[in-house]
Amino acid sequence: ICATVFVASIVSSQNKDRLELELSKRAQQEVDEVLTRMKNVETGIRGTRGAILVGGLEHISAEAYRIYAQSRDLKTEFPGVRSFGFIRRDGDREILQFVSTETDDSTAIGLDIASQIPLRDAAQAAMRSGIAAMTPSLAPFFGSVQSGTWCLVVLPVYRPHLPHGSSSERDAATIGWVFAVVDLDIVVHGIDDGEDIELGVEDITVRGVKTPLTTVGRLNSPSVVTATRPIVAQIYGRQW
């Protein structure tokens, strides 16, 4: 995460060393909480992958997946996650087969993600590495919620009993991907509601490009800022 924390003039009477120490401590706490919430997303998609595998790769039905999806409480277990779903690899196509959500995403079923290049690229990166990968921020492209800053976290699903120790073996064994649609504004909501601190999150994966993602907190006097603290971290293959 690349987060900048602004501390307002409420602490300006403190000495410089104490200010720097307090700023670094609070900034790291904020960033750690964002990372914890984002890493929790992978717990959800691993559960989805398990449901797909146990349900039978070739035979799991939309109804069986719906029953599994309804057993999860997205708002409580995975704050910020809008949907979990499954993309099946079908020859040269990658088709969205199942999606569970708090909104109506039924129009997405059958979508070939080849038309969504950032999602396709993240899926390919996850397949090659064997670990979860994340897209850059995307405009919502399915479902009834068409606002917010979205990204998708994807994880490959391998056919059981096939080797997947190397990149080529993982390519041959991949039958699809499970994914989570994440609303970053909700992920960071409530991390710090104070009036003397503000946390901004940017994607700096592409060298020389800063893409603002979301902001949490607000300053009581935004025009008076005494200090900032940037922190950089990796999350699902992207640099924030």
Side-chain angles (χ1 to χ4, degrees):
I1 285 178
C2 179
T4 304
V5 179
F6 304 86
V7 178
S9 57
I10 190 171
V11 296
S12 61
S13 61
Q14 299 176 357
N15 63 58
K16 183 178 179 180
D17 290 343
R18 185 175 178 183
L19 172 62
E20 289 292 325
L21 181 62
E22 179 64 18
L23 177 57
S24 296
K25 179 181 177 181
R26 291 191 65 181
Q28 192 62 59
Q29 288 173 342
E30 302 279 310
V31 170
D32 288 347
E33 181 61 24
V34 173
L35 289 173
T36 296
R37 293 185 182 192
M38 286 300 299
K39 289 175 181 177
N40 187 46
V41 172
E42 186 171 355
T43 301
I45 55 177
R46 286 185 176 275
T48 301
R49 182 168 68 175
I52 295 291
L53 291 170
V54 171
L57 294 174
E58 307 300 336
H59 307 292
I60 186 170
S61 66
E63 176 64 13
Y65 185 77
R66 183 188 65 80
I67 292 171
Y68 165 76
Q70 289 183 341
S71 73
R72 309 308 299 257
D73 184 341
L74 296 188
K75 290 183 179 180
T76 301
E77 295 181 81
F78 310 105
V81 173
R82 291 288 191 183
S83 311
F84 288 116
F86 175 60
I87 298 165
R88 184 178 292 277
R89 202 177 190 189
D90 183 13
D92 294 331
R93 301 189 303 163
E94 294 156 357
I95 305 298
L96 199 156
Q97 184 173 0
F98 301 127
V99 61
S100 63
T101 179
E102 60 189 42
T103 60
D104 180 12
D105 288 347
S106 58
T107 57
I109 303 302
L111 175 71
D112 187 345
I113 70 167
S115 62
Q116 301 294 327
I117 295 175
L119 175 53
R120 182 197 64 193
D121 290 348
Q124 292 295 312
M127 177 185 71
R128 290 191 298 268
S129 67
I131 59 178
M134 183 168 62
T135 69
S137 60
L138 301 172
F141 58 89
F142 63 80
S144 58
V145 177
Q146 296 296 314
S147 62
T149 303
W150 286 30
C151 65
L152 276 75
V153 180
V154 296
L155 188 70
V157 180
Y158 301 123
R159 191 174 296 281
H161 312 305
L162 287 184
H164 48 271
S166 67
S167 179
S168 60
E169 287 176 340
R170 287 190 284 270
D171 189 349
T174 296
I175 58 123
W177 297 263
V178 285
F179 67 88
V181 180
V182 183
D183 185 332
L184 296 177
D185 293 334
I186 297 178
V187 169
V188 303
H189 178 72
I191 285 181
D192 195 312
D193 294 325
E195 295 185 352
D196 66 332
I197 191 167
E198 182 176 290
L199 178 74
V201 183
E202 299 174 325
D203 189 325
I204 58 170
T205 305
V206 179
R207 187 173 182 179
V209 178
K210 293 183 178 181
T211 304
L213 298 178
T214 190
T215 301
V216 62
R218 63 186 180 89
L219 297 181
N220 189 39
S221 301
S223 61
V224 182
V225 178
T226 59
T228 66
R229 176 70 71 247
I231 299 175
V232 179
Q234 299 283 340
I235 182 72
Y236 298 131
R238 302 200 68 80
Q239 192 172 60
W240 282 5

